C-alpha cells in the first residue's frame, strides 16, 4: 500500500477512546446531560471514566429539570454531580432547593464556584449566614424568588463575597401584594456590596430613598432592574446627568421582567433537561425506544422504574454489556 494511502487511512481512523479526559470532557459538554449520564458511560471504559470524574462537571445546569422533579431526586442528582466535580465546580444552576441541608452541601464544595443560581429555593437566613464564607469566589449570584431569606442573608453574602458583581434578587408580583415597604434588603445591599455592576430587584417593596442609597454606594453599577417597584420615583433627567453609564429598567413593566439578555448565567445542559442521573430499566424491555416518554414526565415521577447507578470496577463492564476499551 502506498505511503500516502496509509497516512490517509490513519487520519480517517481516530482513536477517540485514547483522548485525554480533559478533551473528552470538553467534547461531552456539547451533549445533553441525559446522554452524558446514560449513553456515554456505555461506550467504553475510558469514556465512562471521563464522565465519572470531574472533567464533565465543572459547569452544571439542571434548572429546568429541577423545577419539575421530586425533592429526593433533586438531592440525589446534586450530590452525585457535585461529588463528581471533585471541587472543580465553577457554575451551578438549579431551581427549588427544598432544605438547608442541600444548600449547605453545595457550599461545602464551592471552592471554585463563580456562578450560583438557586432560584425558588427554600434555604433559610440561618444557613446562608452560617455558610456564606464558603462562597467567597462567587461573582454571579441569583437568589430570585427565595422567600425564606431576607436582609440577614444578603448582609452575610455581602460581607463574605467580595468578588460579587451580579446579584439577582427578583420577586414574584404576588409577594408584594398588600404589603408595606421593606427597605432592609436594599440597605443591606448598599452597605455590603459596593462592587456590584448588575443588580436585579424586580417587584421589591422598596422606596426611592433606598434606591438612591444603592446608587451612592455602588459606583460601578451598570444595570439596575426596578421593574414592578412601584414606589420608586426617579428623576430621569437627574439620573442621566449623575449616572450617565447606568441603565435603569422600570419601575413600569413594559415586558416580561426576567431578563436573559445579559447571559452570564447557565447554558450547558439545558437543551434537553428531562432526565435523571441514573440508568432507567423497566421489567424485561430491551427496546430503548420505550424510554423516550420517560424523559418527559412533567411531574418527575419515576416510581415504577428501577434506578441503577453506573458504579463499580472494570469487571462489571461485561455484565452490563459495556465494550472494553482497547
Amino acid at each position: 500500500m502506498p505511503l500516502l494511502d496509509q497516512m490517509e487511512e490513519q487520519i480517517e481512523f481516530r482513536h477517540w477512546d485514547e483522548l485525554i479526559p480533559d478533551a473528552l470532557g470538553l467534547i461531552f459538554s456539547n451533549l445533553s446531560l441525559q446522554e452524558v449520564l446514560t449513553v456515554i458511560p456505555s461506550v467504553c471504559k475510558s469514556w465512562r471514566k471521563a464522565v465519572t470524574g470531574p472533567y464533565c462537571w465543572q459547569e452544571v445546569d439542571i434548572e429546568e429539570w429541577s423545577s419539575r422533579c421530586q425533592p429526593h431526586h433533586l438531592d440525589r442528582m446534586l450530590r452525585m454531580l457535585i461529588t463528581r466535580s471533585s471541587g472543580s465546580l465553577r457554575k451551578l444552576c438549579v431551581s427549588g432547593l427544598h432544605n438547608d441541608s442541600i444548600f449547605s452541601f453545595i457550599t461545602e464544595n464551592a471552592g471554585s464556584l463563580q456562578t450560583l443560581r438557586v432560584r425558588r429555593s427554600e434555604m433559610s437566613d440561618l444557613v446562608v449566614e452560617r455558610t456564606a464564607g464558603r462562597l467567597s469566589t462567587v461573582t454571579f449570584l441569583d437568589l430570585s424568588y427565595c422567600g425564606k431569606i431576607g436582609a440577614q442573608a444578603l448582609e452575610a453574602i455581602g460581607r463574605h463575597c467580595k468578588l460579587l458583581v451580579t446579584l439577582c434578587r427578583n420577586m414574584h408580583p404576588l409577594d408584594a401584594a398588600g404589603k408595606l415597604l421593606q427597605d432592609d434588603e436594599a440597605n443591606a445591599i448598599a452597605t455590603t456590596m459596593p462592587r456590584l455592576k448588575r443588580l436585579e430587584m424586580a417587584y421589591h417593596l422598596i422606596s426611592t430613598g433606598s434606591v438612591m442609597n444603592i446608587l451612592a454606594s455602588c459606583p460601578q453599577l451598570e444595570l439596575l432592574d426596578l421593574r414592578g417597584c412601584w414606589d420608586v420615583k426617579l428623576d430621569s433627567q437627574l439620573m442621566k446627568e449623575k449616572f450617565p453609564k447606568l441603565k435603569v429598567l422600570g419601575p413600569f413593566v413594559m415586558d416580561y421582567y426576567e431578563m436573559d439578555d445579559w447571559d452570564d448565567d447557565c447554558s450547558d445542559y439545558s437543551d434537553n433537561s428531562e432526565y435523571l442521573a441514573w440508568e432507567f430499566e423497566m421489567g424485561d424491555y430491551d427496546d430503548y425506544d420505550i424510554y423516550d416518554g420517560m424523559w418527559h414526565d412533567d411531574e418527575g415521577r419515576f416510581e415504577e422504574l428501577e434506578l441503577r447507578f453506573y458504579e463499580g470496577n472494570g469487571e462489571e463492564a461485561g455484565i452490563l454489556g459495556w465494550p472494553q476499551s482497547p
Side-chain angles (χ1 to χ4, degrees):
M1 179 182 294
L3 179 61
L4 183 59
D5 291 341
Q6 292 180 8
M7 293 176 62
E8 288 178 351
E9 183 176 343
Q10 291 175 354
I11 292 172
E12 291 176 2
F13 184 78
R14 295 179 174 85
H15 294 274
W16 293 102
D17 58 300
E18 295 179 1
L19 288 175
I20 60 174
D22 301 66
L24 288 172
L26 186 62
I27 294 169
F28 296 158
S29 67
N30 294 296
L31 302 175
S32 71
L33 185 53
Q34 176 186 336
E35 292 171 318
V36 173
L37 289 172
T38 63
V39 178
I40 294 301
S42 66
V43 174
C44 64
K45 289 170 63 178
S46 65
W47 285 22
R48 176 180 175 273
K49 183 178 180 181
V51 299
T52 55
Y55 314 102
C56 294
W57 313 115
Q58 296 179 1
E59 300 185 355
V60 174
D61 180 358
I62 57 172
E63 185 171 11
E64 184 179 343
W65 169 77
S66 62
S67 66
R68 297 179 175 87
C69 76
Q70 299 213 8
H72 65 284
H73 285 158
L74 176 57
D75 283 9
R76 291 177 71 184
M77 172 74 90
L78 282 171
R79 290 181 186 277
M80 184 185 72
L81 297 186
I82 292 173
T83 299
R84 287 186 178 186
S85 73
S86 301
S88 64
L89 185 66
R90 295 197 305 260
K91 180 187 291 186
L92 175 63
C93 304
V94 61
S95 176
L97 302 180
H98 293 274
N99 52 60
D100 286 353
S101 175
I102 192 62
F103 182 81
S104 181
F105 178 79
I106 291 171
T107 64
E108 288 171 4
N109 295 271
S112 303
L113 196 61
Q114 298 172 8
T115 295
L116 178 60
R117 188 169 186 168
V118 286
R119 293 180 166 192
R120 301 177 181 88
S121 294
E122 298 180 9
M123 62 279 186
S124 65
D125 271 332
L126 183 61
V127 74
V128 175
E129 285 185 279
R130 190 173 67 244
T131 61
R134 304 170 186 165
L135 300 173
S136 59
T137 59
V138 169
T139 61
F140 179 103
L141 181 61
D142 191 341
L143 298 172
S144 296
Y145 324 117
C146 297
K148 292 187 176 181
I149 61 172
Q152 289 176 267
L154 293 181
E155 186 175 347
I157 289 167
R159 287 199 312 268
H160 294 284
C161 303
K162 298 301 183 181
L163 302 178
L164 191 65
V165 294
T166 298
L167 175 66
C168 303
R169 183 69 178 126
N170 301 309
M171 300 302 289
H172 193 279
L174 294 179
D175 294 331
K179 296 182 180 178
L180 301 175
L181 288 178
Q182 298 173 333
D183 287 326
D184 53 347
E185 288 195 20
N187 291 333
I189 291 170
T191 304
T192 63
M193 304 181 189
R195 294 178 179 82
L196 284 182
K197 294 184 178 180
R198 176 186 178 184
L199 175 61
E200 297 181 15
M201 297 191 71
Y203 291 94
H204 262 265
L205 295 165
I206 54 178
S207 65
T208 304
S210 65
V211 171
M212 297 307 295
N213 190 20
I214 289 174
L215 295 179
S217 303
C218 304
Q220 300 179 53
L221 208 57
E222 298 173 357
L223 181 135
L224 178 60
D225 189 348
L226 298 173
R227 282 175 283 187
C229 301
W230 307 116
D231 291 287
V232 176
K233 312 294 182 184
L234 298 177
D235 186 316
S236 58
Q237 186 60 37
L238 176 64
M239 295 297 295
K240 289 180 182 179
E241 294 175 358
K242 199 166 184 180
F243 308 100
K245 297 182 180 180
L246 175 64
K247 180 178 181 180
V248 179
L249 302 179
F252 297 105
V253 180
M254 303 301 294
D255 56 6
Y256 186 56
Y257 66 86
E258 290 189 59
M259 286 180 30
D260 291 312
D261 300 340
W262 293 51
D263 242 344
D264 185 17
D265 304 288
C266 315
S267 59
D268 306 305
Y269 297 113
S270 57
D271 291 338
N272 183 4
S273 56
E274 298 296 326
Y275 47 71
L276 280 177
W278 308 278
E279 178 186 18
F280 294 95
E281 295 182 317
M282 190 174 185
D284 297 325
Y285 290 108
D286 292 322
D287 186 356
Y288 281 89
D289 291 337
I290 199 168
Y291 298 146
D292 290 345
M294 297 179 182
W295 303 107
H296 301 283
D297 188 324
D298 288 339
E299 297 183 9
R301 296 175 181 172
F302 300 93
E303 287 84 358
E304 73 279 10
L305 304 178
E306 175 188 351
L307 307 180
R308 183 178 70 194
F309 286 99
Y310 282 113
E311 296 293 349
N313 53 34
E315 285 80 3
E316 296 180 3
I319 299 174
L320 296 175
W322 301 347
Q324 299 285 342
S325 294

